[in-house]
Amino acid sequence: MEFLPIVIAAFVALTIITLVKAFSGAKGGETKAMTQRLNAFKSDADPSFVSKQAPPEESAFKQRSYSGVPIFSRLLTRMKGSEEVALQLERAGIPLRVGEYYMIRWVVAALLFVAPFLLGGFEMMIIVIGGGAGLLGYMIPAQWVNMKRKSRTGRINGQLVDLLGMVANSLKSGYGLMQSFEFASRQLPDPLGMEVRRMLREATLGMSGEQALNLLGQRIDSKDMDMVITAINIQRTVGGNLAEILETVANTMRERERIRGEILTLTSQQTMTGIVIGGLPIFMFAVFMVINPDYMSLLFTTTAGRGIMGAAVVLEVIGYFAIKKVIAIEV
């Protein structure tokens, strides 16, 4: 039986499903937006119409281009989740558009999917292995972006205390809030310095200070930064000494960082225990494969052996996530 036509048909079906998903719901969304815009010109228009519109920060995000090719950019605009992907790329500090990011994912998935066929023909087992490899290849770029995002957010959190100290001292000297941020942005290294400079540029181009700060919080996606922005917004509403407020927030961040260090020290033994217990079966499996491969081959050639292998893998994964859940303490 020829499996190459099956592979080609699977790719065509996947492409059709992707296109259908991309355009699904687009017409309804456009009709709703058109109806809202027309209702604004009616004499009996709902006075609460303005409050139903998208907030300025959201509309500012939607003006971005998702691809250098206009037709692909319009296609990605209609896809649900494109904006979230664009935000994740910004938070990771990766200078890629959404279209380029998806292209990388599909190319890696296609390469890993085709690789087993080049080595072993078109048997059913090769197709299954290729499908698993393709799925893994599609997920690898996403995991890499997630790791970059977490690393960048950690570096930003480490710079926030310095930022608050500089801004608080500038406020005590008589500078305004945005002037204080401008002074701090010249002293801070990237990535936080770059994000603050971008916030100031948006405020200079006509966006209000509150909107620019909210967009800064969305791009960084840090609980510590959210706390800073919330403190600034509350101070603008009810008043108070902003310099003292920022110093209090900075002290809170220092204490949280100290507590995180203590928790990391206390849970390090459990972390090492999980690594040893999780890695020991894999290590012993490799050793026995070298010592007596015929004996270990029963795990792959018999039904009972394959069942034991499957149960072992499932239990390993459950144990890993259980230990990770136990030692994950939020501060």
Side-chain angles (χ1 to χ4, degrees):
M1 179 179 180
E2 288 291 338
F3 289 101
L4 184 58
I6 298 178
V7 176
I8 296 175
F11 269 112
V12 172
L14 185 60
T15 303
I16 294 175
I17 292 173
T18 303
L19 291 175
V20 172
K21 183 180 179 181
F23 286 99
S24 61
K27 185 176 180 181
E30 291 177 355
T31 303
K32 183 178 179 180
M34 180 69 73
T35 302
Q36 289 180 344
R37 286 195 293 268
L38 291 176
N39 287 337
F41 295 97
K42 291 183 178 179
S43 58
D44 56 345
D46 187 359
S48 62
F49 167 73
V50 177
S51 63
K52 295 180 182 179
Q53 289 181 321
E57 57 266 25
E58 182 179 349
S59 60
F61 269 129
K62 289 187 177 179
Q63 293 174 359
R64 75 170 86 240
S65 174
Y66 295 116
S67 175
V69 182
I71 186 173
F72 289 147
S73 181
R74 289 193 296 269
L75 173 64
L76 292 170
T77 302
R78 297 168 180 265
M79 290 181 62
K80 299 177 181 178
S82 295
E83 185 59 37
E84 181 64 27
V85 172
L87 280 175
Q88 293 298 326
L89 292 174
E90 282 194 344
R91 290 166 181 171
I94 299 175
L96 288 177
R97 296 182 181 180
V98 177
E100 297 166 348
Y101 169 69
Y102 276 127
M103 183 178 297
I104 291 174
R105 295 186 69 176
W106 281 108
V107 168
V108 174
L111 290 176
L112 293 183
F113 178 79
V114 172
F117 295 97
L118 302 177
L119 300 176
F122 291 93
E123 298 179 359
M124 182 58 67
M125 182 58 68
I126 299 299
I127 294 178
V128 175
I129 295 174
L135 180 61
L136 179 64
Y138 187 76
M139 297 304 298
I140 286 175
Q143 293 300 318
W144 178 70
V145 169
N146 192 37
M147 290 175 55
K148 293 279 289 183
R149 178 184 60 82
K150 290 182 179 179
S151 175
R152 188 171 185 266
T153 302
R155 295 200 305 271
I156 289 176
N157 288 336
Q159 296 177 298
L160 277 178
V161 175
D162 295 334
L163 171 67
L164 295 181
M166 294 178 188
V167 173
N169 291 334
S170 298
L171 290 173
K172 291 179 181 179
S173 301
Y175 288 98
L177 179 60
M178 288 302 171
Q179 290 175 319
S180 301
F181 272 117
E182 184 179 1
F183 167 76
S185 68
R186 293 197 299 265
Q187 306 299 322
L188 285 172
D190 294 338
L192 184 56
M194 180 185 67
E195 291 293 343
V196 174
R197 287 191 294 271
R198 179 175 176 180
M199 181 268 294
L200 293 170
R201 184 168 62 250
E202 290 173 345
T204 304
L205 294 176
M207 188 177 294
S208 66
E210 183 177 356
Q211 293 173 5
L213 284 171
N214 290 335
L215 288 179
L216 175 66
Q218 289 185 21
R219 288 195 302 270
I220 293 179
D221 191 29
S222 167
K223 293 181 180 179
D224 292 341
M225 177 58 77
D226 290 341
M227 183 166 55
V228 173
I229 294 174
T230 301
I232 294 175
N233 290 334
I234 291 175
Q235 188 274 338
R236 287 188 169 187
T237 302
V238 301
N241 192 330
L242 183 57
E244 292 183 359
I245 293 174
L246 294 181
E247 287 181 344
T248 302
V249 173
N251 292 331
T252 303
M253 290 181 181
R254 291 191 188 96
E255 287 298 312
R256 289 177 63 184
E257 193 61 32
R258 183 183 62 81
I259 294 174
R260 287 194 189 103
E262 293 181 358
I263 291 174
L264 183 61
T265 302
L266 295 174
T267 58
S268 58
Q269 181 179 356
Q270 288 73 19
T271 303
M272 183 57 64
T273 301
I275 293 174
V276 172
I277 293 177
L280 187 60
I282 300 175
F283 174 75
M284 295 303 299
F285 176 81
V287 170
F288 281 114
M289 282 294 293
V290 174
I291 295 175
N292 194 346
D294 294 334
Y295 177 75
M296 297 298 294
S297 64
L298 296 176
L299 293 174
F300 303 98
T301 58
T302 62
T303 303
R306 287 191 289 267
I308 292 173
M309 282 291 294
V313 172
V314 172
L315 291 175
E316 279 280 319
V317 173
I318 293 175
Y320 167 78
F321 283 107
I323 293 176
K324 185 177 181 181
K325 187 69 175 179
V326 169
I327 64 177
I329 302 175
E330 292 291 335
V331 180

XYZ file of all heavy atoms in Angstrom, residues 191-257:
515
model
N 16.569 44.911 29.557
C 15.392 45.216 28.740
C 14.441 46.262 29.338
O 13.627 46.824 28.628
C 14.684 43.864 28.662
C 15.046 43.180 29.931
C 16.434 43.618 30.269
N 14.539 46.537 30.648
C 13.584 47.471 31.245
C 13.790 48.881 30.725
O 12.813 49.608 30.492
C 13.713 47.439 32.771
C 12.710 48.298 33.540
C 11.285 47.929 33.176
C 12.932 48.160 35.044
N 15.028 49.296 30.523
C 15.273 50.629 29.986
C 14.635 50.826 28.623
O 14.053 51.877 28.338
N 14.702 49.800 27.770
C 14.094 49.892 26.445
C 12.578 49.998 26.547
O 11.942 50.774 25.827
C 14.485 48.666 25.622
C 13.901 48.643 24.224
S 14.287 47.116 23.352
C 13.343 45.939 24.310
N 11.973 49.241 27.455
C 10.518 49.275 27.598
C 10.058 50.629 28.135
O 9.028 51.157 27.698
C 10.065 48.152 28.524
C 10.222 46.750 27.953
C 9.300 46.502 26.774
O 8.325 47.271 26.591
O 9.551 45.543 26.026
N 10.802 51.196 29.064
C 10.422 52.513 29.594
C 10.558 53.585 28.512
O 9.710 54.475 28.389
C 11.278 52.851 30.826
C 10.995 54.279 31.292
C 10.986 51.877 31.962
N 11.612 53.494 27.707
C 11.768 54.469 26.615
C 10.630 54.334 25.607
O 10.154 55.342 25.058
C 13.121 54.264 25.933
C 14.306 54.737 26.758
C 15.582 54.772 25.947
N 16.001 53.433 25.538
C 16.792 52.641 26.259
N 17.237 53.052 27.455
N 17.152 51.457 25.824
N 10.188 53.126 25.353
C 9.055 52.943 24.434
C 7.784 53.533 25.029
O 6.992 54.155 24.319
C 8.856 51.457 24.156
C 7.685 51.162 23.237
C 7.600 49.694 22.879
N 6.408 49.421 22.078
C 6.083 48.214 21.624
N 6.868 47.171 21.880
N 4.986 48.039 20.917
N 7.587 53.362 26.321
C 6.428 53.954 26.983
C 6.451 55.473 26.874
O 5.428 56.111 26.595
C 6.411 53.511 28.443
C 5.221 54.036 29.250
S 5.560 55.597 30.097
C 6.802 55.082 31.278
N 7.625 56.075 27.073
C 7.739 57.530 26.964
C 7.500 58.003 25.536
O 6.883 59.051 25.306
C 9.131 57.967 27.431
C 9.433 57.758 28.918
C 10.901 57.992 29.201
C 8.560 58.669 29.773
N 7.964 57.234 24.552
C 7.746 57.613 23.157
C 6.257 57.571 22.821
O 5.742 58.444 22.111
C 8.531 56.667 22.247
C 8.432 57.045 20.768
C 9.438 56.279 19.935
N 9.199 54.835 19.989
C 9.975 53.960 20.605
N 11.051 54.378 21.283
N 9.697 52.677 20.597
N 5.532 56.571 23.325
C 4.094 56.494 23.076
C 3.368 57.669 23.721
O 2.433 58.240 23.130
C 3.554 55.170 23.612
C 4.011 53.954 22.818
C 3.597 52.653 23.470
O 3.208 52.692 24.666
O 3.669 51.595 22.813
N 3.798 58.044 24.930
C 3.174 59.193 25.591
C 3.475 60.491 24.845
O 2.623 61.388 24.752
C 3.658 59.274 27.041
N 4.669 60.595 24.272
C 5.034 61.795 23.515
C 4.228 61.913 22.230
O 3.901 63.025 21.784
C 6.538 61.763 23.185
O 7.283 61.637 24.392
C 6.966 63.035 22.463
N 3.864 60.768 21.633
C 3.138 60.775 20.359
C 1.635 60.985 20.520
O 0.896 60.873 19.547
C 3.397 59.456 19.615
C 4.850 59.243 19.146
C 5.013 57.877 18.513
C 5.252 60.336 18.163
N 1.177 61.274 21.736
C -0.228 61.635 21.906
C -1.010 60.746 22.839
O -2.141 61.072 23.202
N -0.462 59.600 23.256
C -1.185 58.723 24.159
C -1.094 59.281 25.576
O -0.078 59.858 25.978
C -0.588 57.313 24.096
C -1.387 56.257 24.846
S -0.663 54.610 24.653
C -0.931 54.360 22.884
N -2.154 59.122 26.351
C -2.131 59.616 27.728
C -1.145 58.786 28.556
O -0.808 57.642 28.225
C -3.525 59.533 28.351
O -3.930 58.178 28.495
N -0.695 59.394 29.651
C 0.262 58.707 30.500
C -0.284 57.420 31.081
O 0.426 56.409 31.185
N -1.561 57.416 31.459
C -2.171 56.215 32.030
C -2.233 55.085 31.005
O -1.937 53.926 31.312
C -3.575 56.546 32.544
C -4.262 55.371 33.231
C -5.627 55.745 33.790
O -5.984 56.945 33.704
O -6.318 54.861 34.288
N -2.615 55.426 29.772
C -2.671 54.412 28.722
C -1.284 53.857 28.413
O -1.107 52.654 28.237
C -3.299 55.004 27.462
C -4.768 55.370 27.601
C -5.277 56.101 26.373
O -4.565 56.256 25.394
N -6.516 56.565 26.444
N -0.278 54.744 28.357
C 1.079 54.287 28.080
C 1.588 53.357 29.182
O 2.245 52.348 28.909
C 2.017 55.486 27.924
N 1.276 53.664 30.432
C 1.678 52.794 31.529
C 0.961 51.454 31.471
O 1.564 50.402 31.734
C 1.396 53.480 32.866
C 2.359 54.589 33.281
C 1.840 55.327 34.503
C 3.742 54.013 33.567
N -0.331 51.468 31.123
C -1.067 50.211 31.020
C -0.511 49.331 29.903
O -0.417 48.106 30.047
C -2.554 50.489 30.782
C -3.228 51.081 31.997
O -2.773 50.887 33.127
N -4.306 51.810 31.793
N -0.136 49.940 28.780
C 0.476 49.174 27.694
C 1.832 48.614 28.118
O 2.193 47.498 27.739
C 0.636 50.055 26.455
C -0.651 50.412 25.710
C -0.347 51.309 24.528
C -1.373 49.170 25.244
N 2.564 49.390 28.903
C 3.837 48.890 29.432
C 3.610 47.650 30.289
O 4.346 46.657 30.186
C 4.521 49.987 30.249
C 5.808 49.589 30.984
C 6.902 49.246 29.986
C 6.258 50.710 31.917
N 2.579 47.685 31.116
C 2.268 46.522 31.943
C 1.848 45.313 31.125
O 2.208 44.179 31.457
N 1.105 45.550 30.029
C 0.704 44.433 29.174
C 1.902 43.821 28.466
O 1.983 42.603 28.302
C -0.335 44.905 28.158
C -1.693 45.225 28.759
C -2.717 45.565 27.690
O -2.561 45.209 26.527
N -3.767 46.264 28.085
N 2.839 44.638 28.030
C 4.005 44.108 27.325
C 4.916 43.317 28.254
O 5.504 42.310 27.850
C 4.791 45.243 26.672
C 4.130 45.866 25.467
C 5.127 46.704 24.680
N 5.726 47.746 25.494
C 5.233 48.974 25.622
N 4.119 49.299 24.989
N 5.846 49.884 26.364
N 5.044 43.766 29.486
C 5.976 43.106 30.409
C 5.332 41.892 31.069
O 5.978 40.862 31.276
C 6.468 44.119 31.465
C 7.332 45.182 30.774
C 7.257 43.426 32.554
C 7.853 46.245 31.702
N 4.054 41.981 31.427
C 3.334 40.856 32.030
C 4.036 40.386 33.303
O 4.395 39.222 33.458
C 3.198 39.707 31.037
C 2.221 38.640 31.545
O 1.295 39.001 32.291
O 2.411 37.451 31.206
N 4.262 41.330 34.222
C 4.917 41.027 35.494
C 4.002 41.460 36.629
O 3.440 42.562 36.598
C 6.265 41.756 35.589
O 6.774 41.724 36.897
N 3.858 40.614 37.626
C 3.035 40.967 38.771
C 3.619 42.157 39.527
O 2.881 42.994 40.047
C 2.898 39.762 39.704
C 2.114 38.600 39.101
C 1.996 37.449 40.076
C 1.212 36.299 39.455
N 1.100 35.144 40.390
N 4.947 42.224 39.601
C 5.579 43.364 40.265
C 5.310 44.659 39.509
O 5.012 45.698 40.121
C 7.085 43.128 40.379
C 7.421 42.000 41.349
O 6.549 41.660 42.167
O 8.535 41.469 41.270
N 5.402 44.619 38.173
C 5.108 45.816 37.389
C 3.633 46.185 37.507
O 3.296 47.381 37.560
C 5.494 45.587 35.926
C 5.164 46.760 35.008
S 5.960 48.310 35.526
C 7.630 48.017 34.964
N 2.752 45.208 37.545
C 1.324 45.502 37.737
C 1.097 46.213 39.062
O 0.262 47.120 39.159
C 0.515 44.205 37.693
C 0.471 43.601 36.294
O 0.738 44.337 35.325
O 0.174 42.397 36.177
N 1.842 45.805 40.092
C 1.712 46.460 41.393
C 2.168 47.911 41.317
O 1.540 48.807 41.904
C 2.519 45.685 42.434
C 2.399 46.223 43.840
S 3.029 45.075 45.098
C 4.695 44.805 44.490
N 3.255 48.168 40.581
C 3.752 49.533 40.419
C 2.726 50.390 39.682
O 2.409 51.519 40.104
C 5.098 49.526 39.683
C 5.545 50.947 39.361
C 6.162 48.818 40.505
N 2.196 49.877 38.570
C 1.241 50.652 37.774
C -0.035 50.903 38.566
O -0.614 51.998 38.512
C 0.953 49.905 36.460
C 2.224 49.856 35.604
C -0.172 50.584 35.689
C 2.089 49.026 34.357
N -0.490 49.899 39.329
C -1.679 50.079 40.155
C -1.457 51.168 41.198
O -2.342 52.008 41.442
C -2.048 48.762 40.842
O -2.289 47.760 39.859
C -3.291 48.920 41.691
N -0.279 51.175 41.810
C 0.024 52.202 42.816
C 0.024 53.597 42.189
O -0.506 54.558 42.775
C 1.372 51.905 43.464
N 0.604 53.721 40.996
C 0.638 55.030 40.327
C -0.771 55.483 39.956
O -1.140 56.658 40.152
C 1.543 54.961 39.083
C 3.004 54.727 39.496
C 1.430 56.240 38.259
C 3.943 54.528 38.330
N -1.588 54.574 39.411
C -2.959 54.941 39.021
C -3.800 55.327 40.225
O -4.601 56.273 40.164
C -3.614 53.787 38.266
C -3.004 53.567 36.889
O -2.454 54.494 36.288
N -3.098 52.360 36.376
N -3.634 54.612 41.337
C -4.393 54.955 42.545
C -3.958 56.319 43.075
O -4.790 57.146 43.488
C -4.205 53.859 43.616
C -4.894 52.576 43.170
C -4.756 54.318 44.956
C -4.675 51.406 44.105
N -2.663 56.592 43.051
C -2.184 57.892 43.519
C -2.719 59.024 42.661
O -3.064 60.090 43.165
C -0.647 57.896 43.518
C -0.018 59.114 44.164
C 0.133 60.291 43.205
O 0.150 60.097 41.981
N 0.221 61.512 43.753
N -2.822 58.796 41.345
C -3.368 59.837 40.475
C -4.842 60.082 40.763
O -5.354 61.187 40.542
C -3.194 59.427 39.017
C -1.756 59.527 38.518
C -1.689 59.306 37.024
N -0.381 59.658 36.476
C -0.093 59.695 35.189
N -1.042 59.396 34.302
N 1.109 60.025 34.774
N -5.546 59.052 41.276
C -6.980 59.185 41.532
C -7.248 59.829 42.890
O -8.067 60.745 43.008
C -7.654 57.805 41.460
O -7.410 57.227 40.178
C -9.149 57.932 41.673
N -6.566 59.357 43.928
C -6.877 59.812 45.288
C -5.828 60.764 45.838
O -6.033 61.364 46.891
C -7.014 58.598 46.230
C -8.106 57.668 45.738
C -5.698 57.833 46.353
N -4.687 60.911 45.132
C -3.646 61.811 45.607
C -2.712 61.127 46.593
O -2.824 59.936 46.887
N -1.771 61.886 47.109
C -0.796 61.346 48.051
C 0.618 61.599 47.562
O 0.846 62.155 46.477
N 1.574 61.224 48.394
C 2.992 61.399 48.085
C 3.450 60.209 47.255
O 3.652 59.105 47.775
C 3.805 61.511 49.378
C 5.230 61.978 49.117
O 5.801 61.703 48.054
N 5.792 62.691 50.070
N 3.619 60.410 45.953
C 3.965 59.312 45.060
C 5.360 58.773 45.353
O 5.599 57.565 45.239
C 3.878 59.770 43.593
C 4.152 58.706 42.534
C 3.218 57.519 42.689
C 4.033 59.302 41.136
N 6.286 59.628 45.749
C 7.646 59.161 46.039
C 7.636 58.165 47.198
O 8.287 57.110 47.135
C 8.550 60.350 46.359
N 6.876 58.486 48.257
C 6.800 57.562 49.388
C 6.092 56.266 48.995
O 6.465 55.187 49.465
C 6.068 58.232 50.549
C 6.832 59.393 51.171
C 6.108 59.986 52.358
O 4.999 59.484 52.671
O 6.630 60.936 52.971
N 5.082 56.385 48.149
C 4.363 55.184 47.710
C 5.303 54.259 46.940
O 5.333 53.041 47.157
C 3.155 55.575 46.851
C 2.109 56.302 47.691
C 2.530 54.337 46.205
C 0.947 56.848 46.895
N 6.079 54.817 46.025
C 7.002 54.003 45.236
C 8.089 53.395 46.111
O 8.521 52.262 45.877
C 7.612 54.852 44.118
C 6.642 55.337 43.037
C 7.379 56.152 41.986
C 5.911 54.171 42.379
N 8.560 54.130 47.124
C 9.553 53.570 48.037
C 8.956 52.407 48.835
O 9.634 51.392 49.079
C 10.061 54.655 48.982
C 10.990 55.657 48.308
C 11.492 56.711 49.275
O 10.888 56.832 50.368
O 12.476 57.405 48.948
N 7.687 52.525 49.219
C 7.025 51.429 49.929
C 6.893 50.207 49.032
O 7.120 49.062 49.462
C 5.639 51.881 50.416
O 5.775 53.027 51.255
C 4.950 50.765 51.192
N 6.527 50.433 47.775
C 6.420 49.315 46.829
C 7.782 48.660 46.612
O 7.897 47.425 46.549
C 5.838 49.811 45.486
C 5.884 48.702 44.444
C 4.403 50.289 45.666
N 8.840 49.473 46.538
C 10.186 48.920 46.362
C 10.582 48.070 47.565
O 11.190 46.992 47.408
C 11.185 50.054 46.150
N 10.267 48.534 48.772
C 10.565 47.733 49.966
C 9.794 46.422 49.967
O 10.323 45.375 50.376
C 10.242 48.536 51.229
C 11.178 49.720 51.430
O 12.335 49.666 51.004
N 10.692 50.768 52.062
N 8.536 46.483 49.506
C 7.746 45.255 49.406
C 8.378 44.273 48.435
O 8.439 43.060 48.699
C 6.315 45.588 48.954
O 5.729 46.518 49.867
C 5.463 44.337 48.886
N 8.877 44.774 47.308
C 9.532 43.902 46.328
C 10.808 43.280 46.901
O 11.099 42.108 46.672
C 9.862 44.694 45.061
C 8.665 45.085 44.245
S 9.148 45.986 42.753
C 7.539 46.312 42.050
N 11.569 44.073 47.662
C 12.788 43.523 48.276
C 12.446 42.398 49.242
O 13.130 41.351 49.268
C 13.543 44.639 49.011
C 14.163 45.674 48.103
C 15.108 46.568 48.895
N 15.570 47.690 48.082
C 15.024 48.896 48.100
N 13.983 49.148 48.900
N 15.492 49.860 47.337
N 11.402 42.590 50.036
C 11.013 41.541 50.977
C 10.516 40.294 50.245
O 10.819 39.166 50.655
C 9.915 42.073 51.911
C 10.415 43.064 52.945
C 11.452 42.418 53.872
O 11.193 41.317 54.376
O 12.518 43.029 54.055
N 9.767 40.491 49.173
C 9.303 39.338 48.402
C 10.470 38.582 47.795
O 10.482 37.348 47.771
C 8.343 39.801 47.293
C 6.995 40.274 47.802
C 6.123 40.774 46.669
N 5.827 39.718 45.717
C 5.135 39.899 44.589
N 4.706 41.120 44.303
N 4.897 38.913 43.781
N 11.469 39.307 47.313
C 12.637 38.645 46.737
C 13.416 37.885 47.816
O 13.931 36.788 47.565
C 13.541 39.688 46.072
C 14.613 39.098 45.173
C 14.055 38.314 44.011
O 12.964 38.682 43.518
O 14.709 37.332 43.594
